[in-house]
Amino acid sequence: MTPEKEHLFDNDFEILKFKDLPKPAQLAISWYMAVDGEAWADVWGDIEFPHFSNSFGNPDYHSKMRELLEGALPALIDEYGDMEFGIGNWPTKDIVNSIAHDENIIVDQSVEQTIEGYQPGRELGPALSGYYKSSYPEEDRWPVILSNFDDETLQDGWKRFSLYTHSGYNETPVVFYPEEWHYELLQKRTSGLKP
């Protein structure tokens, strides 16, 4: 793991069951697992999805899928409610710094170029300046999902994160899949030991 990614976990976090997470975190995880992916797709049963020729940057697609997902949330909580996730609200600059050192990023551009690309106020593409901005208001920001791979910071939420950095948010909500060392780190913190 890069020192920059390891440093992220110097920030406070807690581990909660899916059913106890704030709704924006439940929706972010559910979207990743049941809309973008198929790990939780069993929740859909015979539901017919809307057909869109292009879902990327399409506000109608996002709105309809979010409506379907919110309707499915009770079933997802029944099925996966006891699954545990890490959650925190971390300095955006720390996440940017970690991304800048990701193995798949550093091969294409320098650390400085990556950090510059995440500065507040830069120009956004059409998809980010449109529905994503209205989809993630400040009081309802979905967290980004951290990767469990040592050489990668984010697993999902890249577009959200770009919007958050553009908007100048000092902190970004995060969720992650806890591993044994996360539990050990929390144990050390609560017992007053230095990690």
Side-chain angles (χ1 to χ4, degrees):
M1 181 177 311
T2 66
E4 294 77 15
K5 185 172 181 185
E6 191 171 354
H7 169 67
L8 290 176
F9 293 94
D10 292 342
N11 294 293
D12 288 336
F13 66 88
E14 55 186 332
I15 296 175
L16 300 173
K17 292 183 177 184
F18 179 73
K19 64 185 174 189
D20 298 325
L21 292 171
K23 187 175 180 183
Q26 291 174 333
L27 289 170
I29 293 164
S30 298
W31 187 285
Y32 180 70
M33 301 294 265
V35 176
D36 286 347
E38 297 181 3
W40 292 3
D42 55 329
V43 73
W44 299 122
D46 294 330
I47 292 175
E48 184 133 347
F49 290 122
H51 295 285
F52 293 91
S53 59
N54 182 9
S55 62
F56 180 77
N58 185 325
D60 295 330
Y61 169 82
H62 190 271
S63 176
K64 183 61 179 171
M65 290 308 295
R66 183 170 176 162
E67 180 185 315
L68 287 171
L69 189 62
E70 288 194 20
L73 200 53
L76 289 165
I77 290 170
D78 283 347
E79 182 69 24
Y80 303 105
D82 288 332
M83 251 181 107
E84 292 185 323
F85 292 89
I87 186 167
N89 206 31
W90 293 350
T92 301
K93 66 177 177 46
D94 290 354
I95 299 170
V96 168
N97 193 46
S98 182
I99 289 170
H101 289 85
D102 282 357
E103 190 173 290
N104 62 330
I105 302 287
I106 208 161
V107 296
D108 292 327
Q109 59 189 18
S110 71
V111 168
E112 294 76 19
Q113 288 171 314
T114 302
I115 291 171
E116 179 62 33
Y118 281 107
Q119 293 308 301
R122 74 194 181 292
E123 190 170 324
L124 295 174
L128 290 177
S129 60
Y131 81 94
Y132 282 108
K133 193 163 194 162
S134 62
S135 297
Y136 304 109
E138 185 169 2
E139 67 278 0
D140 188 31
R141 288 189 296 147
W142 289 15
V144 297
I145 300 175
L146 300 179
S147 174
N148 276 12
F149 293 110
D150 288 343
D151 60 352
E152 175 182 71
T153 303
L154 298 185
Q155 183 165 336
D156 191 55
W158 287 95
K159 295 179 197 84
R160 292 192 292 277
F161 187 66
S162 290
L163 174 64
Y164 301 162
T165 60
H166 171 79
S167 300
Y169 292 126
N170 291 324
E171 293 190 329
T172 296
V174 300
V175 294
F176 59 91
Y177 308 99
E179 298 178 13
E180 189 60 37
W181 68 270
H182 296 114
Y183 292 94
E184 292 168 0
L185 181 57
L186 278 181
Q187 174 97 27
K188 288 177 184 175
R189 287 181 182 171
T190 55
S191 67
L193 298 173
K194 295 214 181 224

